[in-house]
């Protein structure tokens, strides 16, 4: 059956995440999946909150999360991704619905993130669709 997806997009590093959003939409089309809801959040830290809301929705089969957490002067990028990733796994298991993980980082430069934007978005959608078809 056609997978109904929801998208959570972090607006931090918008130049990168907006590209990721476009690539995710294209990937969904190619896989004959439908994005029925989209939530934009300020940064990666807010992604689990939005994902939690979307996973509660009976019409949504899977959630795809997109973000770019770039390396700065401190280890803030590591702290953020290490907080967000386990929480998303927990939510996925709690609601028994897959989450396609399209968060770039930690420890990446702007250039590396730009290079990975398309691939990460596409892979996250592919994973969400594949996993939503598991019985």
């Amino acid at each position: 059956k056609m997978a109904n997806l929801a998208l959570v997009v972090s607006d931090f590093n918008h130049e990168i995440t907006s590209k990721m959003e476009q690539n995710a939409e294209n990937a969904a089309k190619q896989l004959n999946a439908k994005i029925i809801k989209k939530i934009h959040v300020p940064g990666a830290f807010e992604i689990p909150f939005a994902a939690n809301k979307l996973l509660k929705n009976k019409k949504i089969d899977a959630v795809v999360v997109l973000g770019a957490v770039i390396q700065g002067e401190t280890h803030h990028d590591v702290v953020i991704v290490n907080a967000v990733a386990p929480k998303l796994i927990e939510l996925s298991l709690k609601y028994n619905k897959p989450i396609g993980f399209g968060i770039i980082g930690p420890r990446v430069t702007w250039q590396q993130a730009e290079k990975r934007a398309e691939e990460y978005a596409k892979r996250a959608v592919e994973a969400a669709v594949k996993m939503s078809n598991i019985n």
Side-chain angles (χ1 to χ4, degrees):
K1 80 179 183 66
M2 182 193 272
N4 284 334
L5 306 179
L7 220 51
V8 181
V9 185
S10 165
D11 287 335
F12 205 83
N13 297 318
H14 175 74
E15 296 89 337
I16 294 170
T17 61
S18 60
K19 275 184 205 141
M20 294 179 81
E21 183 178 352
Q22 265 180 321
N23 287 311
E25 286 169 358
N26 294 342
K29 259 191 209 105
Q30 284 168 357
L31 294 167
N32 203 23
K34 202 170 174 198
I35 296 168
I36 63 167
K37 192 137 176 56
K38 219 192 281 190
I39 297 179
H40 281 257
V41 295
F45 191 79
E46 291 77 33
I47 289 174
F49 183 83
N52 186 51
K53 285 206 178 297
L54 293 166
L55 290 163
K56 285 178 186 169
N57 185 330
K58 301 255 185 280
K59 293 186 192 111
I60 292 167
D61 300 313
V63 174
V64 176
V65 301
L66 304 173
V69 187
I70 310 292
Q71 183 172 351
E73 298 291 306
T74 67
H75 282 271
H76 183 71
D77 59 319
V78 175
V79 171
I80 295 295
V81 178
N82 285 346
V84 169
K87 189 47 72 181
L88 291 171
I89 293 167
E90 204 179 290
L91 288 169
S92 174
L93 297 174
K94 177 183 171 185
Y95 291 102
N96 201 31
K97 291 181 185 182
I99 295 177
F101 189 79
I103 299 175
I104 301 169
R107 306 280 92 184
V108 292
T109 64
W110 183 270
Q111 288 76 17
Q112 288 169 330
E114 264 187 327
K115 236 184 245 153
R116 294 171 191 177
E118 187 176 342
E119 190 191 342
Y120 268 63
K122 190 174 167 228
R123 276 199 202 154
V125 171
E126 285 170 353
V129 171
K130 266 188 195 136
M131 295 304 291
S132 69
N133 288 320
I134 285 179
N135 290 325

